[in-house]
Amino acid sequence: MSPRLRHLTTLENLPRETIERLLDRAEALRDACAHGTRKLDVLVGRTVLNLFFEPSTRTRTSFELAARRLGADVINFDIGLSSTSKGEELFDTLHTLEAMHMDAIIVRHKQSGTPDELVRHAMSGVSVINAGDGNHAHPTQGLLDALTIRQHRPDFENLSVVICGDIKHSRVARSDINALSTLGVKEIRLCGPAELMPTTEDVPQGRRVDDFDQAIKDADAVIMLRLQKERMASIDLPDEAAYFTHFGLDRRRLALAAKGCLVMHPGPINRGIEIASDIADGAQSRILEQVGNGVFVRMAVLNEVLAR
Ligand code: ASP
């Protein structure tokens, strides 16, 4: 059996067995807490800290819900009201919070590598979970996307999955690619404007397909990504209307995919830029299912790193 995780900062190089264990546990926890209506007591007496240096709706809320459903106490650290805004060094903030005996720190930061830095500096008892760092990794999103696909199409060895949009700046794309390739997905196709595609050195996996009509042909799942303008300082933003024409998901394009193709997006979605409203809200959309699965995946991860 693969060893239990102490921290989760990336899915890169995680054994398939570990990823499958987390997905299986997410499903078991979903059933055990009756889809969220019953609270469990596996983490009673444990304290989880949400340390978010970048905005978040889904991830922060679902980590909080996940921890509470397992019986843990949750502290939401408000950066705006904290000494960090007075210039306190990150590691001083870390040690201050550790001195109050946190069991897990869930961190989101604009700088890639911050969660790994915290792991190197953290005291021995604390677990660090990455809730998104720069364009590097968003491991719980990678897991929840894999779970969402698995619930509809467990036959990963037959699947073609398209990831479309601003892949260069996307930590979600990197973690999705790690999860899906480890789980044996037949083909991952990457599509987006040339200036928003990662180099093969940066992201070696995935077949690059420039034209979205070609990329989506017979695909079983399509993961659309947000244009991450906040990470695009030195890039000319694509004109939004032209972007939608070339890389937006609409009814005509979805018809080129395999029947029942799963439509996914990590959110927040920009309607009419990456995805047409009728498709985001349509019968094939799994976007809200992704959100729901996020809670169970985060419960599984907290349970993995914290349960005694
Ligand atoms: N919510 C995801 C993230 O934090 C995707 C996005 O922001 O576009 O990476």
Side-chain angles (χ1 to χ4, degrees):
M1 200 175 119
S2 59
R4 204 173 111 184
L5 299 173
R6 266 278 321 279
H7 307 282
L8 180 66
T9 61
T10 175
L11 300 180
E12 201 177 350
N13 301 325
L14 273 197
R16 178 171 182 158
E17 195 190 335
T18 307
I19 296 184
E20 285 176 344
R21 176 171 77 230
L22 291 168
L23 301 187
D24 293 345
R25 191 179 297 135
E27 287 185 329
L29 285 164
R30 178 196 60 200
D31 298 340
C33 75
H35 295 262
T37 54
R38 189 187 316 134
K39 214 169 142 179
L40 307 175
D41 59 5
V42 242
L43 297 185
V44 167
R46 313 290 240 144
T47 307
V48 171
L49 174 77
N50 264 332
L51 187 58
F52 279 59
F53 292 91
E54 270 194 333
S56 170
T57 306
R58 282 149 288 269
T59 307
R60 179 172 153 148
T61 317
S62 60
F63 263 116
E64 177 166 356
L65 252 180
R68 288 191 196 283
R69 279 184 189 167
L70 292 172
D73 294 317
V74 184
I75 310 281
N76 286 308
F77 189 76
D78 194 326
I79 305 299
L81 301 176
S82 74
S83 293
T84 311
S85 60
K86 297 184 193 164
E88 183 169 85
E89 294 266 346
L90 180 61
F91 301 124
D92 288 325
T93 307
L94 170 71
H95 296 313
T96 302
L97 293 163
E98 278 179 328
M100 297 181 210
H101 301 293
M102 301 296 156
D103 296 293
I105 297 182
I106 295 156
V107 63
R108 167 169 287 191
H109 204 281
K110 69 173 192 298
Q111 192 68 44
S112 295
T114 300
D116 289 300
E117 280 283 294
L118 291 181
V119 168
R120 283 191 282 279
H121 284 79
M123 291 193 296
S124 58
V126 175
S127 292
V128 176
I129 300 172
N130 182 5
D133 61 329
N135 68 3
H136 169 238
H138 195 345
T140 54
Q141 181 78 42
L143 292 171
L144 76 89
D145 286 348
L147 181 64
T148 306
I149 297 176
R150 193 176 82 163
Q151 283 170 345
H152 295 273
R153 293 295 305 269
D155 55 330
F156 279 6
E157 65 289 353
N158 299 322
L159 299 189
S160 298
V161 177
V162 181
I163 301 181
C164 178
D166 179 6
I167 299 174
K168 180 175 178 156
H169 299 106
S170 177
R171 52 199 179 203
V172 173
R174 284 170 181 74
S175 287
D176 281 351
I177 291 167
N178 289 148
L180 298 176
S181 50
T182 304
L183 293 171
V185 161
K186 183 180 77 181
E187 183 171 60
I188 299 173
R189 303 177 195 155
L190 306 182
C191 178
E195 63 272 40
L196 299 178
M197 285 298 271
T199 62
T200 47
E201 236 167 42
D202 176 6
V203 177
Q205 310 96 321
R207 180 160 76 88
R208 270 73 175 163
V209 186
D210 299 337
D211 182 73
F212 194 14
D213 284 4
Q214 293 296 323
I216 201 169
K217 201 166 173 308
D218 300 322
D220 302 293
V222 55
I223 301 172
M224 301 303 294
L225 300 172
R226 181 176 67 89
L227 281 176
Q228 290 147 92
K229 296 180 185 165
E230 71 277 20
R231 297 189 221 289
M232 284 187 202
S234 57
I235 297 181
D236 277 341
L237 277 186
D239 164 71
E240 287 174 355
Y243 182 83
F244 185 72
T245 306
H246 293 289
F247 299 103
L249 184 60
D250 59 9
R251 189 167 294 281
R252 180 192 70 78
R253 276 210 173 99
L254 187 54
L256 302 173
K259 192 162 172 283
C261 172
L262 312 173
V263 172
M264 299 168 62
H265 192 305
I269 61 175
N270 291 308
R271 291 168 183 266
I273 299 176
E274 302 103 44
I275 187 165
S277 257
D278 62 330
I279 300 300
D281 302 330
Q284 283 169 254
S285 174
R286 302 289 161 228
I287 297 172
L288 293 178
E289 224 172 289
Q290 289 171 270
V291 177
N293 280 335
V295 180
F296 303 117
V297 155
R298 290 170 180 128
M299 287 172 79
V301 170
L302 286 166
N303 184 84
E304 168 92 8
V305 301
L306 288 184
R308 288 187 226 268

